[in-house]
Amino acid sequence: MATPGKSPENCLIVVAAALIDRDGRLLVQQRPEGLSMAGLWEFPGGKIEPGETPEQALIRELGEELAIDVDHACLAPACFASDTLGDRHLLLLLYVCRKWRGTPVAQHASALRWVRPVELHGLAMPPADKPLIGLLEALV
Ligand code: 9L3
Ligand code: MG
């Protein structure tokens, strides 16, 4: 039986992208003041809105957050991780993307950084993003 406050609807699905440039560096952005987890470095992305597929949501988020244009075919599902937010569960779905149009410019984040996978260990990241570092090191 479902426990109040612990139903599947309480699972928030968030999509994010590991943008990888030609030198094998990854893009992370710093969450701005006023948002939860302010100051932490995350893979860009966000919540899926009603009616969106995960890929549509990620393409929209990358346009809104970085002003880049990504084709659906350039998003490769890579790995996932989870976190607990109060009485909610967060499921983070990470896609790898090596091709986009435009140059990423922070639209909401307080800063962007291109880093080598090994450098991610030295950044303060949201709990859901941390387990993805090792997987990305193997992948890049
Ligand atoms: N979150 C964690 N890692 C990420 C992203 C994009 C998001 N790479 C978490 C932070 C918030 C929640 O997901 O708790 C929703 O994100 P947002 O809509 O506040 O960006
Ligand atoms: Mg976001």
Side-chain angles (χ1 to χ4, degrees):
M1 228 208 314
T3 310
K6 299 282 184 189
S7 64
E9 297 78 47
N10 249 18
C11 182
L12 175 70
I13 304 180
V14 173
V15 285
L19 297 180
I20 305 175
D21 73 6
R22 288 193 189 89
D23 300 322
R25 293 177 310 166
L26 294 155
L27 185 72
V28 285
Q29 65 179 11
Q30 191 171 35
R31 292 178 65 85
E33 290 306 318
L35 274 196
S36 62
M37 306 195 197
L40 301 188
W41 294 88
E42 66 175 10
F43 299 110
K47 300 180 196 83
I48 301 174
E49 289 180 359
E52 286 182 326
T53 66
E55 292 81 6
Q56 285 168 343
L58 186 52
I59 290 166
R60 175 185 50 73
E61 288 283 346
L62 294 173
E64 290 173 0
E65 295 188 342
L66 301 171
I68 58 169
D69 215 4
V70 175
D71 287 339
H72 188 293
C74 297
L75 291 176
C79 45
F80 67 91
S82 68
D83 186 17
T84 302
L85 301 173
D87 66 351
R88 303 192 81 183
H89 310 294
L90 183 146
L91 181 63
L92 178 66
L93 307 178
L94 189 81
Y95 290 73
V96 160
C97 178
R98 295 177 186 270
K99 230 171 104 184
W100 55 87
R101 282 180 295 275
T103 302
V105 176
Q107 307 296 307
H108 301 303
S110 45
L112 299 185
R113 279 182 71 179
W114 287 99
V115 298
R116 307 227 155 263
V118 68
E119 295 177 78
L120 292 170
H121 294 287
L123 294 180
M125 298 187 86
D129 297 53
K130 280 188 191 166
L132 304 174
I133 299 173
L135 295 160
L136 284 168
E137 281 180 306
L139 205 135
V140 173

